[in-house]
Amino acid sequence: MKVILVTGRTVKQGFWKEYGKFSKAYMESVSVCYMDARDMERLGIKDGTNVQVSTKHGSTILKALKSTRGKHSGIIFVPYGPWINGVVDPETDSVGMPSFKGTQAEVEPAPEKPVLSLEELLKKQFRKLNR
Amino acid sequence: MRTVKHVTCPVCGCLCDDLELTIKDEKVVKVKNGCALCKAKFLGYSKHRVLKPLVRKNGRFFEVSYEEAVSRAAEILTEANYPLLYGWSMTSCEAVSAGIELAEEIGGVIDTTSTLCHGPSTLGIQDVGISSATLGQVRHRADLIVYWGSNPLIAHPRHMERYTIFRKGRFQKEKRKLIVVDVRKTETAETADIFLQIKPNMDYEVLQALRALIRDQELDVDEVAGIPTERLEEIADTMVECRFGALFFGSGLTMTRGKNRNIDAVLSLVSDLNKLTKFIAMPMRGHFNVTGADMILTWQTGYPYAVDFSLGYPRYNPGETSAVDILLREESDAALVVASDPVASLPRKAAEHLAENPLIVVDPHMSATARMADVVLPSTFVGIESGGTAYRMDHVPLPLKKIVEPPEGILSDEEILRIILSEVKRKKAEQMENP
Amino acid sequence: MKMELIIRNGFVFDPINGVKGEKMDIAVRDGKIVERVNERKALEIDASGMLVMPGGVDIHCHIAGSEVNAGRLLRPEDHFKYSERKTATTRSGSGHSVPSTFTTGYRYSRMGYTTIMNPAMPPLMAKHTHKELNDTPMVDKGSFPLLGDWWFVLEHLSNGRIEECARYVAWLMTSTKGYAVKIVNPGGVEAWGFGHNVHSLDEQVPNFNITPREIIRGLCKVNKLLNLPHTIHVHTNNLGKPGNYTTTLETMKCVEDLAADDKPVIHITHCQFSAFKGSDWKTLRSGAEEIARYVNNHSHVTLDMGQVVFTDTTTMTADAPFQYTLHELTGSKWTNQDVETETSVGIVPFRYRRKSYVHAMQWSIGLELALLIKDPWKIFLTTDHPNAGPFTAYPRIISWLMSRRAREATMKKINRRAQSKSLLPSITRELDFYEIAVMTRAGQAKALGLKDKGHLGVGADADIAVYKINPEELDPSRDYKIVRKAFRRAAYTVKGGEIVARNGEILKHVKGATLWLKVKTSQQTKVNEDLKRRFRDYWTVEYENYPVSENSLDISHPINVEAKI
């Protein structure tokens, strides 16, 4: 399903980052994807099902959660963090700022794929840790 | 057990300075007046600490002395042609000042996390200026508050309580009107008198429509970004009819399509409104001292962020001299990260090049960036274990306190940067003598 | 121990000590002027054929603080062409009209200036101002807190509580590490809080039962009660508006009765901007004659010029309503920053053009004031940096003051109509080096009450400037270009007894002290307690976090002041 990806701050992300980025609580607070209930229905997934979010820049596995923030069909919301950074558009339009909000993305169910831990994610994404 | 009063909170740009902390055995055990984020920091900061300098050898970290780690760091920086010094928003002004001197000494680029949050706001201000005020002016006078692309209940939890909606002022005893503009119904939006849910990436159109409407021009369309024109007319009327309006904008404007152009538009709207009433605007700065880093860079070099010293004098051209662009072009050949976690916050492609650089990290935590580093220099928590100065989002400077002793032997960011600087100078002098 | 230094054989101009160009030696030890030094050991400067003066003193230049920095931030285009490279001794920097801090210090030092006063400090932002001043090397410096619209001042004065007001001012002066009472468009800045202004000395300030006249008189009395070294420092109401010279005359008159013993009680700053006759921009004329006549007949006033130079610059003042008018007038970008319970600031880029009638008239008015006021101890050379132009233009202004030819050369190039309306062609006066020394150092130091600055008597601070000008050989009227060049690059600048600059090259980066007033009054504790109790009703920061601590000043130089109360 085609959606617009918006990343941003959440209270849990803000809270748990103070406890350390390698904590399980931090991971659980940012490796999620808030979706409109109708969009979830359309995808045939339940609250807590893993989804794959992809753009032309990359893809990631996140846990889909039902948004409590009104109706926003066609928009998914993902907290700032390393899980989504491989997916957002790095283009700065010559002003220094990447495009963290408003990127065209594709969401599909991925119930069998696991959400990686930060360590696994970094190992997968960064060559330096594999030398 | 002891209590410390009037403590400044080192979390967000609100920089609340009315905290009361209870200390037991050099640990903060109770926080009065703080929000959830503040409590999380004061009660949880000491977890996941790094307590010994680390140097990576053959892919693995080894514990070393500060002396050895600093020497390695200075070596990396002296050998580099185009080092990037990044971060700076979660530390004291005094540390930033040392960082600027270091960047100048090694001919590097210094950039702050502004580049990832309100860099476009700065560019907007440089285009059109900004009508602004301190938060107390808003508290005393504003009868209309607008949050645009900003969710203070989550990101700046006491902003509304201390400065806007839930606070009375000298000339404003009645409830103020609240307008929220966002792409989804945020926590803040739920408390609003008027909520405008606009389509993503269309802030610019809405802002320009409002500019037209306050000039009594008529729109030839029925809706803009999903909002009926009549509704926009109501909003424009509300803005014109207030006595003192304050518009706060967040990364909802800077990170979406339009970026700095959105800021041009929002600042122009507010500037225009001053023909008709009093109106101010303010970016909702995130990290507690990102404003301070902007300020010092500006007074020492003339430019607020993305300052390039590679030619021996400060040069500024965001898009060219800004961190993400340098990393995407794979130009830097070493990096120093202070008080920030870019591996967790940069787009991955940029983070990848950063990790490929010989990387020095100064941080109290084992962050994602520290995990990638070649040298890790553990530091104190600024505003908890060491003092200094920080700037509130409205440019009001406030003192950061040292509340508890740091773990034994741990130095502050400022101290670490000063010894790196003198080690760099020593190494350079040595090279001059024995080329 | 610092080295001893002797400056030999210069033509010394030291107006405070009555020295008018005599050839003499100046001896220095441990940062002070002394009677004599051990001539064999002392470092020697051969100043034969050169001018020796006390280091320059600037009574009014916006070089540091939140408003200056907002100006720097607003104007990257001001900096691009004016970069300064890092050297072995100096830090890098940039900027033309709003230079970065290190650069500011170096540029002053190159011109032989050693003491400068930053005239607009929002008290809530005092920590910021002092941080920048710490980073402004080569000069001693002070800063004036903005007090004319502070709610406590308005409340106490409207209730006639002068003594209580004085104690509040004492608290604020000491807390912010300030040097003098600054008043900007009194009442107008408070009115700007809701987008309004006041337009005469007797208009009621909205929401406060007080008028500008009462604020000026009240603070003038406060200033005397506190025994502050400088007078109140006033930016008039109606600044920058045609016809405002009458407001200026009234402002000076309104404190006439508060003067005693021929001592000044008021300083009208950047007077050029407040000396406009006419009813609109088209009919603008100079009010310099009327103002000069008044000043020539009264001894309770000092002024500074606010001289316009034709260049691109950045205007910035706490007179935010005026800055908004300027924004509307020019369409240039505009920054405004109101400061809770205290003040405001506005910033607009500006270019003074020779061919503009108004700008050319402004250029003329500044010089007319300086030349028509007979006593150089009453009017000082400033550009209200950067409002009428950057401070680096001082040498040019010196040449205009000293040379009719220099004035004529510029006059030929300005707007035709302004040429015909200017009073300058009728003025033949050409200042001499003695008068220049008064207007650029001695007079300014005296007005500021700086006892150890602005002169070369025994015990004075060894802040000295040597210029490559031989007054016996050179005719400044004819050779004004040589004069200009010499004042641009001092042959030597001595700061605190050390040679810090030579022929425009910075030899040593030195810090320079922050001068501030430690004001002592009786019953101060009660006032402080009262302030503490009410603090949260006024500001959004804590009482305890408001003051600037003395240890945050890199080099603190407190001046003890015993108040009369």
Side-chain angles (χ1 to χ4, degrees), chain B residues 104 126 132 134 170 311, chain C residues 85 91-92 333 336 340:
Chain B
E104 187 192 50
Q126 290 173 335
S132 199
T134 65
R170 183 178 187 123
L311 297 178
Chain C
R85 219 172 252 283
R91 300 286 304 270
S92 65
K333 56 188 176 181
N336 180 85
E340 62 205 63

Side-chain angles (χ1 to χ4, degrees), chain A:
Chain A
M1 185 171 64
K2 288 216 183 318
V3 290
I4 287 175
L5 165 65
V6 175
T7 68
R9 202 169 282 294
T10 65
V11 75
K12 285 183 186 161
Q13 172 258 350
F15 188 87
W16 290 112
K17 78 181 166 65
E18 303 299 343
Y19 281 83
K21 297 270 170 78
F22 287 90
S23 65
K24 192 151 189 290
Y26 173 70
M27 170 188 161
E28 285 173 357
S29 70
V30 303
S31 61
V32 294
C33 167
Y34 293 96
M35 295 184 70
D36 188 272
R38 282 170 303 171
D39 290 351
M40 292 178 85
E41 244 170 65
R42 239 168 271 154
L43 272 189
I45 57 171
K46 285 186 298 200
D47 202 34
T49 308
N50 287 356
V51 289
Q52 176 161 321
V53 179
S54 323
T55 64
K56 60 180 174 183
H57 312 286
S59 73
T60 192
I61 306 295
L62 303 166
K63 188 205 272 187
L65 294 176
K66 197 157 90 181
S67 173
T68 53
R69 308 259 59 90
K71 294 174 187 167
H72 54 77
S73 193
I75 301 174
I76 59 168
F77 184 85
V78 180
Y80 294 142
W83 280 265
I84 199 64
N85 284 339
V87 180
V88 295
D89 185 356
E91 174 59 46
T92 76
D93 303 321
S94 298
V95 296
M97 168 65 94
S99 306
F100 286 119
K101 297 183 195 281
T103 314
Q104 296 277 353
E106 177 81 29
V107 187
E108 50 200 321
E112 72 294 351
K113 292 185 184 168
V115 176
L116 300 180
S117 73
L118 181 58
E119 189 64 27
E120 290 163 343
L121 187 79
L122 295 180
K123 281 220 162 107
K124 188 181 157 207
Q125 294 191 341
F126 291 89
R127 282 167 290 166
K128 193 167 192 172
L129 295 182
N130 299 312
R131 282 187 201 129

